[in-house]
Amino acid sequence: MVAVDVGGTTVKGMVRVGEVVLDRVVVPTLGPVDHADAVGGPALAAVTAVVDRLAAAATAAGNPLAAIGLCTPGVVDAETGTVLVAVNLDWHDLPLAALLRDRYGVPVAVAHDARAAATAEIAARTAAGRDVTEMVFIPIGTGVSASLVVDGRLVVGAAGGAGEVGHVCVRPGGEQCTCGQRGCVEVYASARNIRRRYREGGGTIDGATDEIVAAVDTDPVAAAVWDDAVDALAAGIAILSAVLDPAVVVVGGGLGESGERLLAPLRTAVDARLGWRPAPRIEQSLAGSGAGLAGAALLARTAAGSSPAATTPPAATPPAAATAPAAGQDPTP
């Protein structure tokens, strides 16, 4: 089975047989394509490049491709496998599951990336004896979104768009967002936008976002951009807390790996915004930055007809395995 995690920066994939990972691949999401007007554009071309390689690896090992599980940002109709809109990928009403079924001839399951990642987080927290009944899971990478768990169930919403906290306006009249609004959480708090705002502010670190985060104590530009990110994220969490009253907010994704450098000031900022009521606990993800791919693997099991429901996922492996698996080992539940 093939699992694919589509992000705004990279598309990650892996293929496994049983509990053995045969191959992994990571490609840029918006690389060049043969035809500019190709259906799905560069992002879909990246997805098919990943699946082509992984399917070939499975076939070479004597195990032809059986199913595909894929998670993607945007507003997703999981029942039909259609991406209604994904602004960072330039997808609109894209029948993704149907396109992949036609190309590969196998069952395909497609879901929102944050909700897919949340299934892996639920598994990890359940295995660790942690609370999952009332939870908000916020993976932060190229974009910012959230999965909402209410009474132990993942909330999808009427149009499949529940949890899009990244596109909640927290600074009216603020910076332009890719969604067309101004002042969204994502404009300030996503990893890509932290990097963009740092460089636009005159920062001199020409590296990844984690290098900028590591410099916040010594680099004034990094500190200012980081303060804005924490403030915007805190505003979004305060809104979710006031509406949903979660017991815990779990921060994941690549930026979630910043640990207490992010969580400590975030707790303080959320507390200040919710002075009239207790704030939820704010914790680091147990599933780690590989939660999206782990969730996609669960989707592949579902597509193949062998997965339990998302509310009762199989036990997850430890976070360290999910972020840095040993050769031949499977980081997914």
Side-chain angles (χ1 to χ4, degrees):
M1 294 181 289
V2 164
V4 181
D5 177 10
V6 182
T9 303
T10 62
V11 176
K12 305 177 184 70
M14 73 173 179
V15 60
R16 72 182 187 183
V17 175
E19 299 305 314
V20 177
V21 175
L22 298 179
D23 195 13
R24 297 176 181 273
V25 62
V26 180
V27 304
T29 303
L30 301 178
V33 291
D34 292 338
H35 303 287
D37 60 350
V39 174
L44 183 56
V47 169
T48 55
V50 166
V51 178
D52 285 350
R53 169 174 158 174
L54 296 176
T59 300
N63 294 278
L65 181 64
I68 300 169
L70 182 147
C71 64
T72 172
V75 179
V76 180
D77 182 342
E79 185 174 343
T80 65
T82 300
V83 182
L84 303 179
V85 59
V87 293
N88 290 330
L89 307 177
D90 196 25
W91 284 351
H92 302 273
D93 296 318
L94 183 72
L96 185 55
L99 290 170
L100 295 178
R101 278 196 303 270
D102 290 346
R103 182 181 178 95
Y104 298 103
V106 298
V108 179
V110 174
H112 184 272
D113 57 352
R115 284 192 284 275
T119 63
E121 183 64 28
I122 289 168
R125 292 181 67 84
T126 300
R130 300 283 190 88
D131 187 8
V132 296
T133 305
E134 303 288 339
M135 180 181 79
V136 172
F137 176 64
I138 304 178
I140 307 174
T142 302
V144 179
S145 189
S147 288
L148 315 177
V149 181
V150 177
D151 195 23
R153 297 176 180 272
L154 278 166
V155 176
V156 176
E164 289 294 341
V165 69
H167 298 295
V168 170
C169 176
V170 293
R171 293 191 178 179
E175 294 185 21
Q176 184 79 41
C177 181
T178 54
C179 74
Q181 301 182 114
R182 288 188 174 274
C184 294
V185 171
E186 185 172 298
V187 174
Y188 302 95
S190 75
R192 178 175 64 182
N193 282 308
I194 288 172
R195 188 166 59 249
R196 172 189 62 79
R197 297 186 76 245
Y198 173 79
R199 290 172 181 167
E200 289 178 355
T204 58
I205 297 173
D206 187 22
T209 303
D210 57 357
E211 296 177 51
I212 297 169
V213 175
V216 297
D217 293 333
T218 57
D219 185 330
V221 178
V225 170
W226 187 242
D227 287 346
D228 284 345
V230 170
D231 182 71
L233 187 57
I237 290 174
I239 292 169
L240 290 173
S241 298
V243 174
L244 297 173
D245 190 25
V248 60
V249 173
V250 178
V251 181
L255 205 64
E257 297 300 289
S258 302
E260 287 301 309
R261 186 177 287 276
L262 170 62
L263 300 184
L266 185 59
R267 292 186 189 108
T268 299
V270 172
D271 282 343
R273 288 178 176 272
L274 291 175
W276 56 276
R277 52 157 293 156
R281 302 191 312 276
I282 299 178
E283 300 177 359
Q284 185 174 357
S285 168
L286 296 183
S289 60
L293 196 56
L298 289 174
L299 289 171
R301 289 187 188 181
T302 300
S306 61
S307 176
T311 52
T312 55
T317 54
T323 55
Q329 290 186 346
D330 187 359
T332 64

